[in-house]
Short mmCIF file of all heavy atoms in Angstrom, two decimals:
data_model
loop_
_atom_site.label_atom_id
_atom_site.label_comp_id
_atom_site.label_asym_id
_atom_site.label_seq_id
_atom_site.Cartn_x
_atom_site.Cartn_y
_atom_site.Cartn_z
N HIS A 297 6.13 -27.26 1.97
CA HIS A 297 6.71 -26.03 2.54
C HIS A 297 6.93 -26.24 4.06
O HIS A 297 7.33 -25.31 4.70
CB HIS A 297 5.68 -24.93 2.42
CG HIS A 297 5.42 -24.61 0.94
ND1 HIS A 297 6.31 -24.24 0.02
CD2 HIS A 297 4.18 -24.70 0.29
CE1 HIS A 297 5.76 -24.03 -1.19
NE2 HIS A 297 4.47 -24.33 -1.11
N SER A 298 6.84 -27.44 4.55
CA SER A 298 7.02 -27.73 5.95
C SER A 298 8.31 -27.21 6.48
O SER A 298 9.46 -27.64 5.98
CB SER A 298 6.74 -29.06 6.36
OG SER A 298 6.90 -29.39 7.64
N GLY A 299 8.33 -26.35 7.47
CA GLY A 299 9.64 -25.90 8.07
C GLY A 299 10.54 -25.02 7.19
O GLY A 299 11.61 -24.66 7.58
N ALA A 300 9.97 -24.53 6.06
CA ALA A 300 10.72 -23.72 5.14
C ALA A 300 10.38 -22.26 5.07
O ALA A 300 11.05 -21.45 4.51
CB ALA A 300 10.61 -24.33 3.75
N ALA A 301 9.22 -21.87 5.63
CA ALA A 301 8.77 -20.53 5.45
C ALA A 301 9.29 -19.70 6.60
O ALA A 301 9.38 -19.95 7.74
CB ALA A 301 7.12 -20.54 5.58
N ASP A 302 9.70 -18.39 6.13
CA ASP A 302 10.12 -17.44 7.10
C ASP A 302 8.99 -16.63 7.71
O ASP A 302 9.13 -16.15 8.82
CB ASP A 302 11.08 -16.42 6.38
CG ASP A 302 12.36 -17.10 5.86
OD1 ASP A 302 13.23 -17.37 6.69
OD2 ASP A 302 12.34 -17.37 4.61
N ALA A 303 7.87 -16.58 7.01
CA ALA A 303 6.76 -15.81 7.46
C ALA A 303 5.43 -16.42 6.84
O ALA A 303 5.49 -16.91 5.69
CB ALA A 303 6.86 -14.27 7.11
N VAL A 304 4.40 -16.33 7.49
CA VAL A 304 3.03 -16.70 7.05
C VAL A 304 2.02 -15.61 7.33
O VAL A 304 1.97 -15.07 8.38
CB VAL A 304 2.58 -18.04 7.73
CG1 VAL A 304 1.13 -18.43 7.31
CG2 VAL A 304 3.49 -19.25 7.34
N PHE A 305 1.19 -15.46 6.31
CA PHE A 305 0.12 -14.38 6.47
C PHE A 305 -1.20 -15.02 6.28
O PHE A 305 -1.36 -15.72 5.21
CB PHE A 305 0.35 -13.19 5.56
CG PHE A 305 -0.71 -12.16 5.66
CD1 PHE A 305 -0.60 -11.15 6.66
CD2 PHE A 305 -1.90 -12.09 4.88
CE1 PHE A 305 -1.66 -10.22 6.82
CE2 PHE A 305 -2.84 -11.23 4.99
CZ PHE A 305 -2.82 -10.24 5.92
N LEU A 306 -2.20 -14.77 7.12
CA LEU A 306 -3.48 -15.37 6.99
C LEU A 306 -4.52 -14.26 6.93
O LEU A 306 -4.57 -13.37 7.75
CB LEU A 306 -3.83 -16.24 8.22
CG LEU A 306 -2.89 -17.43 8.52
CD1 LEU A 306 -3.40 -18.16 9.70
CD2 LEU A 306 -2.84 -18.42 7.32
N ASP A 307 -5.40 -14.27 5.87
CA ASP A 307 -6.53 -13.36 5.77
C ASP A 307 -7.76 -14.34 5.46
O ASP A 307 -8.09 -14.49 4.35
CB ASP A 307 -6.30 -12.36 4.61
CG ASP A 307 -7.46 -11.34 4.51
OD1 ASP A 307 -8.39 -11.44 5.33
OD2 ASP A 307 -7.41 -10.46 3.60
N LEU A 308 -8.18 -14.87 6.57
CA LEU A 308 -9.30 -15.95 6.44
C LEU A 308 -10.38 -15.64 7.35
O LEU A 308 -10.18 -15.09 8.48
CB LEU A 308 -8.65 -17.27 6.83
CG LEU A 308 -7.43 -17.79 5.88
CD1 LEU A 308 -6.91 -19.04 6.45
CD2 LEU A 308 -8.00 -18.02 4.44
N PRO A 309 -11.59 -16.09 7.12
CA PRO A 309 -12.75 -15.93 8.04
C PRO A 309 -12.56 -16.72 9.34
O PRO A 309 -13.06 -16.28 10.38
CB PRO A 309 -13.96 -16.34 7.22
CG PRO A 309 -13.41 -17.17 6.10
CD PRO A 309 -12.04 -16.68 5.74
N GLN A 310 -11.84 -17.84 9.23
CA GLN A 310 -11.67 -18.74 10.42
C GLN A 310 -10.14 -19.03 10.53
O GLN A 310 -9.80 -20.17 10.32
CB GLN A 310 -12.51 -19.95 10.39
CG GLN A 310 -13.96 -19.74 10.38
CD GLN A 310 -14.74 -20.99 10.22
OE1 GLN A 310 -14.76 -21.63 9.18
NE2 GLN A 310 -15.52 -21.39 11.21
N PRO A 311 -9.33 -18.04 10.88
CA PRO A 311 -7.91 -18.34 10.85
C PRO A 311 -7.43 -19.34 11.87
O PRO A 311 -6.44 -20.00 11.53
CB PRO A 311 -7.33 -16.93 11.20
CG PRO A 311 -8.44 -16.24 11.91
CD PRO A 311 -9.73 -16.66 11.29
N TRP A 312 -8.20 -19.61 12.92
CA TRP A 312 -7.78 -20.57 13.95
C TRP A 312 -7.69 -22.03 13.35
O TRP A 312 -6.96 -22.85 13.87
CB TRP A 312 -8.68 -20.53 15.13
CG TRP A 312 -10.18 -20.62 14.76
CD1 TRP A 312 -10.87 -21.78 14.71
CD2 TRP A 312 -11.07 -19.55 14.49
NE1 TRP A 312 -12.15 -21.48 14.34
CE2 TRP A 312 -12.28 -20.08 14.28
CE3 TRP A 312 -10.90 -18.14 14.45
CZ2 TRP A 312 -13.45 -19.35 13.91
CZ3 TRP A 312 -12.07 -17.45 14.18
CH2 TRP A 312 -13.30 -18.00 13.90
N LEU A 313 -8.40 -22.20 12.25
CA LEU A 313 -8.32 -23.52 11.60
C LEU A 313 -7.06 -23.77 10.89
O LEU A 313 -6.68 -24.92 10.67
CB LEU A 313 -9.55 -23.72 10.61
CG LEU A 313 -10.96 -23.65 11.23
CD1 LEU A 313 -12.04 -23.81 10.16
CD2 LEU A 313 -11.12 -24.68 12.36
N ALA A 314 -6.41 -22.70 10.43
CA ALA A 314 -5.28 -22.73 9.63
C ALA A 314 -3.99 -22.60 10.49
O ALA A 314 -2.88 -22.86 10.04
CB ALA A 314 -5.28 -21.79 8.46
N ILE A 315 -4.03 -22.15 11.69
CA ILE A 315 -2.91 -21.79 12.50
C ILE A 315 -2.08 -23.01 12.82
O ILE A 315 -0.83 -22.97 12.76
CB ILE A 315 -3.31 -21.10 13.82
CG1 ILE A 315 -3.74 -19.65 13.43
CG2 ILE A 315 -2.22 -21.02 14.83
CD1 ILE A 315 -4.40 -18.84 14.58
N PRO A 316 -2.63 -24.20 13.11
CA PRO A 316 -1.71 -25.41 13.31
C PRO A 316 -0.89 -25.74 12.16
O PRO A 316 0.23 -25.99 12.21
CB PRO A 316 -2.77 -26.49 13.60
CG PRO A 316 -3.98 -25.82 14.18
CD PRO A 316 -4.03 -24.50 13.47
N SER A 317 -1.51 -25.66 10.93
CA SER A 317 -0.69 -25.85 9.70
C SER A 317 0.36 -24.77 9.54
O SER A 317 1.44 -25.09 9.09
CB SER A 317 -1.68 -25.96 8.52
OG SER A 317 -0.96 -26.01 7.26
N ALA A 318 -0.03 -23.52 9.76
CA ALA A 318 0.94 -22.43 9.64
C ALA A 318 2.13 -22.68 10.56
O ALA A 318 3.31 -22.40 10.20
CB ALA A 318 0.26 -21.05 9.99
N GLY A 319 1.83 -23.23 11.71
CA GLY A 319 2.96 -23.46 12.64
C GLY A 319 3.99 -24.46 12.16
O GLY A 319 5.16 -24.35 12.31
N THR A 320 3.49 -25.49 11.46
CA THR A 320 4.37 -26.55 10.92
C THR A 320 5.09 -26.03 9.68
O THR A 320 6.20 -26.53 9.37
CB THR A 320 3.66 -27.78 10.56
OG1 THR A 320 2.69 -27.52 9.55
CG2 THR A 320 2.87 -28.41 11.79
N MET A 321 4.62 -24.97 9.02
CA MET A 321 5.29 -24.42 7.85
C MET A 321 6.39 -23.61 8.25
O MET A 321 7.40 -23.46 7.49
CB MET A 321 4.30 -23.67 6.93
CG MET A 321 3.13 -24.40 6.37
SD MET A 321 3.62 -25.79 5.35
CE MET A 321 3.11 -27.24 6.43
N LEU A 322 6.30 -22.88 9.38
CA LEU A 322 7.37 -21.90 9.81
C LEU A 322 8.65 -22.61 10.26
O LEU A 322 8.62 -23.57 11.00
CB LEU A 322 6.80 -20.97 10.86
CG LEU A 322 5.76 -19.91 10.41
CD1 LEU A 322 5.13 -19.33 11.62
CD2 LEU A 322 6.54 -18.82 9.51
N ARG A 323 9.81 -21.95 9.95
CA ARG A 323 11.01 -22.29 10.67
C ARG A 323 10.98 -21.82 12.10
O ARG A 323 10.13 -21.01 12.37
CB ARG A 323 12.18 -21.66 9.94
CG ARG A 323 12.13 -20.16 9.83
CD ARG A 323 13.42 -19.54 9.40
NE ARG A 323 13.31 -18.08 9.22
CZ ARG A 323 13.38 -17.22 10.27
NH1 ARG A 323 13.48 -17.71 11.50
NH2 ARG A 323 13.20 -15.90 10.11
N GLN A 324 11.88 -22.33 12.82
CA GLN A 324 11.86 -21.88 14.25
C GLN A 324 12.19 -20.36 14.30
O GLN A 324 13.03 -19.88 13.52
CB GLN A 324 12.91 -22.59 15.02
CG GLN A 324 12.51 -24.10 15.19
CD GLN A 324 13.45 -24.78 16.17
OE1 GLN A 324 13.91 -24.18 17.16
NE2 GLN A 324 13.71 -26.09 15.95
N ASP A 325 11.48 -19.64 15.11
CA ASP A 325 11.56 -18.17 15.16
C ASP A 325 10.90 -17.41 14.00
O ASP A 325 11.01 -16.23 13.95
CB ASP A 325 13.02 -17.72 15.31
CG ASP A 325 13.14 -16.37 15.98
OD1 ASP A 325 12.37 -16.13 16.93
OD2 ASP A 325 14.06 -15.51 15.55
N GLY A 326 10.21 -18.18 13.20
CA GLY A 326 9.52 -17.49 12.10
C GLY A 326 8.28 -16.80 12.66
O GLY A 326 7.85 -17.01 13.74
N ILE A 327 7.62 -15.99 11.84
CA ILE A 327 6.58 -15.05 12.27
C ILE A 327 5.25 -15.31 11.48
O ILE A 327 5.28 -15.41 10.28
CB ILE A 327 6.95 -13.56 12.17
CG1 ILE A 327 8.25 -13.36 12.94
CG2 ILE A 327 5.86 -12.67 12.71
CD1 ILE A 327 8.81 -11.92 12.81
N LEU A 328 4.17 -15.28 12.27
CA LEU A 328 2.84 -15.45 11.80
C LEU A 328 2.03 -14.17 11.93
O LEU A 328 2.21 -13.49 12.99
CB LEU A 328 2.10 -16.59 12.42
CG LEU A 328 0.56 -16.67 12.18
CD1 LEU A 328 0.29 -17.19 10.78
CD2 LEU A 328 -0.09 -17.61 13.22
N CYS A 329 1.25 -13.76 10.86
CA CYS A 329 0.34 -12.64 11.01
C CYS A 329 -1.03 -13.08 10.50
O CYS A 329 -1.18 -13.70 9.55
CB CYS A 329 0.86 -11.47 10.16
SG CYS A 329 -0.28 -10.09 10.18
N SER A 330 -1.98 -12.68 11.31
CA SER A 330 -3.42 -12.94 10.96
C SER A 330 -4.19 -11.68 10.86
O SER A 330 -4.12 -10.83 11.87
CB SER A 330 -3.98 -13.95 11.92
OG SER A 330 -5.42 -14.12 11.65
N PHE A 331 -4.86 -11.40 9.80
CA PHE A 331 -5.72 -10.17 9.65
C PHE A 331 -7.21 -10.62 9.84
O PHE A 331 -7.67 -11.46 9.12
CB PHE A 331 -5.42 -9.54 8.31
CG PHE A 331 -6.29 -8.40 8.01
CD1 PHE A 331 -6.02 -7.11 8.41
CD2 PHE A 331 -7.58 -8.54 7.27
CE1 PHE A 331 -6.92 -6.06 8.15
CE2 PHE A 331 -8.39 -7.52 7.02
CZ PHE A 331 -8.09 -6.21 7.49
N SER A 332 -7.88 -9.88 10.74
CA SER A 332 -9.31 -10.13 10.93
C SER A 332 -10.03 -8.88 11.13
O SER A 332 -9.55 -8.03 11.88
CB SER A 332 -9.45 -11.07 12.22
OG SER A 332 -8.85 -12.32 11.96
N PRO A 333 -11.21 -8.77 10.62
CA PRO A 333 -12.04 -7.54 10.79
C PRO A 333 -12.68 -7.43 12.18
O PRO A 333 -13.01 -6.38 12.65
CB PRO A 333 -13.00 -7.46 9.72
CG PRO A 333 -13.12 -8.96 9.30
CD PRO A 333 -11.82 -9.60 9.51
N CYS A 334 -12.95 -8.60 12.82
CA CYS A 334 -13.76 -8.69 14.06
C CYS A 334 -12.92 -9.08 15.23
O CYS A 334 -12.10 -10.00 15.09
CB CYS A 334 -14.99 -9.55 13.88
SG CYS A 334 -16.08 -9.20 12.55
N ILE A 335 -13.10 -8.53 16.39
CA ILE A 335 -12.34 -8.87 17.59
C ILE A 335 -12.55 -10.25 18.04
O ILE A 335 -11.72 -10.96 18.62
CB ILE A 335 -12.63 -7.80 18.70
CG1 ILE A 335 -11.56 -7.89 19.79
CG2 ILE A 335 -14.02 -8.01 19.31
CD1 ILE A 335 -10.15 -7.50 19.31
N GLU A 336 -13.76 -10.84 17.78
CA GLU A 336 -14.11 -12.17 18.20
C GLU A 336 -13.16 -13.19 17.39
O GLU A 336 -12.82 -14.18 17.96
CB GLU A 336 -15.56 -12.58 17.86
CG GLU A 336 -16.57 -11.86 18.78
CD GLU A 336 -16.86 -10.37 18.32
OE1 GLU A 336 -16.41 -10.05 17.18
OE2 GLU A 336 -17.56 -9.71 19.01
N GLN A 337 -12.90 -12.86 16.07
CA GLN A 337 -11.89 -13.65 15.37
C GLN A 337 -10.58 -13.62 15.91
O GLN A 337 -9.86 -14.59 16.00
CB GLN A 337 -11.88 -13.24 13.96
CG GLN A 337 -13.19 -13.42 13.13
CD GLN A 337 -13.16 -12.72 11.85
OE1 GLN A 337 -13.00 -11.41 11.83
NE2 GLN A 337 -13.25 -13.42 10.67
N VAL A 338 -10.18 -12.46 16.44
CA VAL A 338 -8.83 -12.22 16.99
C VAL A 338 -8.76 -13.09 18.26
O VAL A 338 -7.77 -13.75 18.53
CB VAL A 338 -8.62 -10.78 17.37
CG1 VAL A 338 -7.31 -10.62 18.18
CG2 VAL A 338 -8.63 -9.91 16.07
N GLN A 339 -9.83 -13.11 19.08
CA GLN A 339 -9.74 -13.86 20.34
C GLN A 339 -9.56 -15.37 20.13
O GLN A 339 -8.74 -16.06 20.77
CB GLN A 339 -10.99 -13.59 21.24
CG GLN A 339 -11.11 -12.16 21.65
CD GLN A 339 -12.50 -11.83 22.24
OE1 GLN A 339 -13.47 -12.43 21.86
NE2 GLN A 339 -12.53 -10.96 23.13
N ARG A 340 -10.24 -15.84 19.16
CA ARG A 340 -10.18 -17.34 18.84
C ARG A 340 -8.80 -17.63 18.24
O ARG A 340 -8.23 -18.71 18.47
CB ARG A 340 -11.30 -17.80 17.88
CG ARG A 340 -12.63 -17.70 18.58
CD ARG A 340 -13.71 -18.59 17.83
NE ARG A 340 -13.32 -20.01 17.85
CZ ARG A 340 -14.12 -20.92 17.31
NH1 ARG A 340 -15.31 -20.55 16.74
NH2 ARG A 340 -13.82 -22.13 17.27
#
Side-chain angles (χ1 to χ4, degrees):
H297 301 300
S298 181
D302 297 284
V304 174
F305 180 84
L306 303 177
D307 183 359
L308 300 169
Q310 296 176 296
W312 53 89
L313 298 179
I315 286 172
S317 174
T320 62
M321 299 300 112
L322 284 167
R323 61 169 175 78
Q324 294 190 34
D325 203 39
I327 302 175
L328 168 68
C329 177
S330 176
F331 175 85
S332 299
C334 301
I335 196 63
E336 293 81 6
Q337 294 169 301
V338 174
Q339 292 169 335
R340 293 196 63 175

